[in-house]
Amino acid sequence: GGSAWAADAGPAALLITMVVVFAVNALLEEVFYRRWLQTRWEHVIGRWPAIVLTSLPFAAWHIGIHGTGHLLTDLTSVFVHQGVLGLFLGYLWSRYRLMWPVLTVHGAINAAPVLLGTL
């Protein structure tokens, strides 16, 4: 898996991979889901409904990444894990209107399994 690769990767390969993963996942997802989608929905339906509504497609998006092929289990898992993360990231965006806290949290959560695999 990814953690086995991380344990064997050199520091340069690990750093490059983490930067690319951060740019593709955390940056693109947060710009789309929080900055663009949530902000627009907040103007239409209000703060908390927009946070909740944005968290649903954010969570569903992760079925392809975290899915096992068992649809009911996958839906339950992503809505619990990524849905809760989406609520938290949505709150951070709504509260501070700064991308760096949202990106820091999202990037750290994405990086944690890889970094732990280097131990």
Side-chain angles (χ1 to χ4, degrees), residues 10-89:
L14 188 59
L15 181 62
I16 290 167
T17 301
M18 296 203 51
V19 168
V20 169
V21 167
F22 176 81
V24 170
N25 289 322
L27 183 61
L28 290 178
E29 286 179 9
E30 293 312 321
V31 166
F32 175 74
Y33 287 107
R34 256 48 84 185
R35 188 175 196 125
W36 186 80
L37 188 60
Q38 179 180 316
T39 299
R40 277 150 183 78
W41 282 349
E42 284 177 4
H43 293 293
V44 176
I45 60 176
R47 179 184 190 189
W48 280 104
I51 292 170
V52 171
L53 193 57
T54 302
S55 296
L56 297 175
F58 173 77
W61 167 253
H62 289 84
I63 289 174
I65 300 167
H66 300 286
T68 62
H70 299 96
L71 185 58
L72 186 56
T73 302
D74 293 345
L75 284 170
T76 304
S77 177
V78 297
F79 282 112
V80 169
H81 294 102
Q82 279 69 34
V84 170
L85 174 60
L87 291 173
F88 181 64
L89 294 171

